[in-house]
Amino acid sequence: MDRYNEVYLNHVVGMSLQLLNPNAESLRRDAALKVNVTSAEGLQSVLETNLGPKGTLKMLVDGAGNIKLTKDGKVLLTEMQIQSPTAVLIARAAAAQDEITGDGTTTVVCLVGELLRQAYRYIQEGVHPRIITDGFEIARKEALDHLNNFQMRDVNLDREFLLQVARSSLSTKVNSELTEVLAPIVTDAVLNVQNKNEPNMLDLHMVEIMQMQHLSPKDTTFIKGLVLDHGGRHPDMPTRVENAYVLILNVSLEYEKTEVNSGFFYSSAEQRDKLAASERKFVDEKLKKIIDLKNEVCGMDNNKGFVIVNQKGIDPMSLDILAKHNILALRRAKRRNMERLQLVTGGEAQNSVEDLSPEVLGFSGLIYQQTIGEEKFTYVTENKDPKSCTILIKGSTHYALTQTKDAVRDGLRAVANVLKDKTVIPGAGSFFIDVSNHLSRSNMNRLGAKGKTKTGVEAFAEAMLVVPKTLVKNSGFDPLDVLAMCQDELDDIDPTEDGPRRYVGVDLNIGDSCDPTIEGIWDSYRVIRNAINGATGIASNLLLCDELLRAGRSTLKDGQ
């Protein structure tokens, strides 16, 4: 009988093995868990040095030899060549965090790596991964409840406060001198596109970010208007137009071939000239209506000007006619700029010239051109109430432009998040220190963590400290010393005393504790909320993964 069972078992095992491609790789249980933990820790060790204002830069060199210097977690994760499937999974989730909130990628990677590291300690002592993930879930809910109590709602979101928010975000991406230049630019740009009637309706796409390889990043400027990356295409057109009426068109002002294949036969040169003239007449009639509108609004007044911005083409003959009438015409404008132009000038885009009237025209106080090298830029400025604006990023090299652009993008999102949430979180790692302290001192039974489940809550509480520890370590100080000071200060706070709540963060300049609300260091509520949710979800999934299968090559021969 035993012999029979042995044969049957071998048969079943053999069948199950054949289900796998012989070339596939399979890692089970302990080996799979070890791979997941090692991959997460490896990715954490790469990115953690970038965290915070004292973080270091990474140099990325692509296959073509192009160089990019950055400390932006999202840029690193999307452009690095990552081989490990576990690391790829974490990188995608962290990049999604940036898409949703605009920041927090490095934080997510650090939290995932530390959660797995702390959990693995208990797993090696015999605790089942499912017990730990249950503890993680209890701790996550408690951490989010604590976040709601920790946030500051009664803050005056004026320009001065938003400048502090912008500085907090930008200082983690660029140096302090450039931060002081970019902070007011980013703040003014968000306030410019904010709808006063509906504050939550913030369309950051209406902030045009234009790059100009010229001067240095400190010369980056904010234009309360629009900058177009092209100019007039005729040498006789005016390069500076004051008190300009702006006609926004999506009309072809060039000769176009018919949509169907057609042929015309003529027997003399006169017939050919007549055919060409009739084709030209079609475009000339459109031009005549535009010029009539210009004469109607400008008359003989030399102090008024007329500008056409067309999404489609304008042929050389049409440009010549417009130049003779002192009209500045720009062709092939980007579709997105057509939307922005309407918000800046107050005009209406027209798809036909049949019903042109003065009511559809926009107005701009000054439109002028600037030429840098072979490139032309057109500035639409001095507008009455522009709902769109431009940030003109300058820099001598391509990688400097890219680094500044990434920082500006994150700064815009940080300010917009605070305006949408109407709440902020004190920064400098204060929330992570506070929530770790809160979880460690909480009554575990009351939270619902009984028996071994407490190990998951303890691992979560310890993992939260990775953010302040990394911030301090990147500043060159001893993280244990600084966190001990913060812990002592938290212990000294009497919860029964009246007065404003005290917050304890890390001071990266002197390696001591500080109050981030006094220093003006702020975090975004939604960034921290999403980071905790995302990191806990990924870490739990990776802990519960007990088998890793990597597909091999097909065992079928070619042709079968």
Side-chain angles (χ1 to χ4, degrees):
M1 191 67 182
D2 292 340
R3 174 69 180 159
Y4 173 77
N5 287 339
E6 187 180 341
V7 171
Y8 177 74
L9 186 64
N10 288 336
H11 175 67
V12 171
V13 171
M15 284 179 62
S16 64
L17 283 175
Q18 287 175 6
L19 293 175
L20 276 180
N21 182 334
N23 295 326
E25 296 175 36
S26 174
L27 294 171
R28 290 196 170 185
R29 291 180 178 81
D30 293 347
L33 186 60
K34 183 64 178 169
V35 165
N36 286 342
V37 173
T38 307
S39 299
E41 288 177 354
L43 192 61
Q44 179 192 352
S45 66
V46 171
L47 260 72
E48 68 178 0
T49 53
N50 301 343
L51 188 68
K54 304 286 186 177
T56 53
L57 292 169
K58 296 278 189 292
M59 181 186 287
L60 297 174
V61 184
D62 63 15
N66 296 320
I67 297 172
K68 181 178 281 189
L69 283 170
T70 184
K71 60 192 289 194
D72 190 315
K74 198 249 182 178
V75 175
L76 288 168
L77 291 173
T78 51
E79 301 202 11
M80 280 194 308
Q81 295 294 319
I82 303 173
Q83 297 295 327
S84 165
T86 305
V88 169
L89 182 71
I90 298 170
R92 286 176 182 166
Q97 157 89 6
D98 185 89
E99 295 295 330
I100 297 166
T101 64
D103 207 352
T105 43
T106 312
T107 305
V108 168
V109 172
C110 288
L111 286 173
V112 171
E114 194 64 22
L115 283 167
L116 289 175
R117 179 187 282 119
Q118 296 297 334
Y120 196 63
R121 282 173 45 215
Y122 289 107
I123 290 170
Q124 286 178 312
E125 293 174 12
V127 183
H128 193 277
R130 172 60 73 183
I131 301 290
I132 292 177
T133 56
D134 289 345
F136 277 2
E137 184 59 24
I138 292 167
R140 181 190 66 83
K141 289 179 181 175
E142 184 61 23
L144 293 178
D145 286 344
H146 189 68
L147 179 66
N148 290 330
N149 296 328
F150 194 80
Q151 64 183 336
M152 295 179 65
R153 289 187 177 277
D154 54 343
V155 287
N156 182 19
L157 299 178
D158 57 3
R159 184 176 182 272
E160 194 58 42
F161 184 83
L162 294 175
L163 277 171
Q164 293 181 4
V165 173
R167 282 193 200 98
S168 301
S169 174
L170 290 167
S171 62
T172 64
K173 305 291 185 290
V174 291
N175 61 51
S176 56
E177 290 182 11
L178 187 53
T179 297
E180 292 303 318
V181 174
L182 296 180
I185 291 173
V186 163
T187 306
D188 290 339
V190 175
L191 290 173
N192 190 79
V193 298
Q194 184 186 22
N195 190 331
K196 299 293 186 291
N197 300 323
E198 297 181 31
N200 290 333
M201 294 296 290
L202 262 170
D203 186 3
L204 293 181
H205 289 296
M206 290 303 107
V207 179
E208 166 79 330
I209 299 177
M210 179 74 68
Q211 292 175 306
M212 191 182 279
Q213 198 159 335
H214 176 61
L215 302 174
S216 75
K218 292 177 188 173
D219 297 301
T220 298
T221 51
F222 170 68
I223 308 291
K224 203 168 182 180
L226 196 61
V227 180
L228 305 169
D229 56 357
H230 51 278
R233 295 296 179 185
H234 194 285
D236 294 339
M237 283 183 175
T239 56
R240 183 183 175 91
V241 182
E242 296 181 6
N243 301 319
Y245 290 96
V246 182
L247 177 60
I248 307 165
L249 284 179
N250 184 23
V251 177
S252 176
L253 295 176
E254 58 187 345
Y255 164 68
E256 292 185 7
K257 291 183 179 179
T258 53
E259 290 185 8
V260 293
N261 291 327
S262 57
F264 297 93
F265 299 94
Y266 40 83
S267 55
S268 64
E270 288 78 11
Q271 287 180 342
R272 182 193 172 285
D273 291 343
K274 191 179 290 186
L275 176 66
S278 63
E279 288 175 344
R280 185 70 227 162
K281 183 182 176 185
F282 181 66
V283 179
D284 286 347
E285 285 177 353
K286 293 181 185 177
L287 289 171
K288 184 176 182 301
K289 290 176 180 176
I290 293 170
I291 292 165
D292 288 346
L293 179 64
K294 185 253 180 183
N295 292 333
E296 181 183 347
V297 294
C298 296
M300 303 301 289
D301 190 348
N302 291 329
N303 293 324
K304 293 180 180 178
F306 200 83
V307 177
I308 298 171
V309 182
N310 195 9
Q311 191 175 333
K312 293 184 178 175
I314 307 175
D315 62 22
M317 290 183 69
S318 301
L319 288 170
D320 193 52
I321 294 169
L322 293 171
K324 286 177 181 175
H325 287 84
N326 204 35
I327 295 173
L328 172 60
L330 284 74
R331 64 185 181 187
R332 308 217 184 277
K334 290 188 292 189
R335 180 175 169 274
R336 180 68 75 178
N337 277 343
M338 302 299 279
E339 295 177 36
R340 295 181 180 123
L341 203 59
Q342 294 179 69
L343 293 170
V344 167
T345 62
E348 295 177 19
Q350 299 296 303
N351 295 315
S352 165
V353 295
E354 298 303 319
D355 301 313
L356 292 182
S357 65
E359 287 74 32
V360 303
L361 296 174
F363 184 83
S364 181
L366 176 63
I367 296 177
Y368 63 95
Q369 286 185 19
Q370 184 179 5
T371 305
I372 297 173
E374 295 181 358
E375 294 184 347
K376 286 183 179 179
F377 295 90
T378 304
Y379 293 70
V380 182
T381 59
E382 295 183 18
N383 307 288
K384 291 176 181 175
D385 186 22
K387 296 297 181 189
S388 178
C389 56
T390 304
I391 296 176
L392 204 55
I393 295 174
K394 299 179 183 179
S396 55
T397 56
H398 181 68
Y399 73 79
L401 287 170
T402 309
Q403 186 183 359
T404 310
K405 183 180 178 181
D406 291 337
V408 165
R409 178 184 168 278
D410 284 1
L412 289 170
R413 297 284 291 273
V415 176
N417 285 345
V418 170
L419 287 172
K420 288 176 183 175
D421 294 338
K422 297 184 177 62
T423 180
V424 286
I425 304 294
S430 59
F431 170 72
F432 295 98
I433 297 170
D434 206 84
V435 76
S436 176
N437 190 56
H438 171 72
L439 289 172
S440 301
R441 296 186 171 193
S442 294
N443 185 328
M444 299 280 187
N445 289 339
R446 195 174 294 167
L447 294 180
K450 297 180 180 179
K452 286 185 180 178
T453 314
K454 294 175 183 176
T455 57
V457 179
E458 289 167 7
F460 189 96
E462 188 63 31
M464 288 294 106
L465 292 175
V466 69
V467 174
K469 278 181 183 175
T470 307
L471 288 170
V472 175
K473 189 164 62 175
N474 291 345
S475 306
F477 298 104
D478 187 332
L480 294 178
D481 281 349
V482 178
L483 280 180
M485 293 178 196
C486 295
Q487 200 71 47
D488 291 343
E489 194 163 332
L490 274 177
D491 292 341
D492 290 340
I493 296 174
D494 184 1
T496 58
E497 68 181 17
D498 295 331
R501 180 173 182 169
R502 284 172 61 191
Y503 300 90
V504 180
V506 290
D507 189 330
L508 304 183
N509 294 317
I510 58 174
D512 201 346
S513 60
C514 72
D515 187 338
T517 58
I518 296 172
E519 300 293 330
I521 306 168
W522 306 99
D523 278 335
S524 168
Y525 170 78
R526 65 174 62 190
V527 169
I528 292 181
R529 183 194 63 200
N530 284 29
I532 290 173
N533 271 327
T536 311
I538 302 160
S540 297
N541 286 337
L542 291 176
L543 283 173
L544 295 175
C545 178
D546 71 344
E547 187 158 359
L548 194 149
L549 297 172
R550 188 196 290 270
R553 292 183 180 177
S554 173
T555 54
L556 294 175
K557 293 181 180 178
D558 293 337
Q560 284 189 337

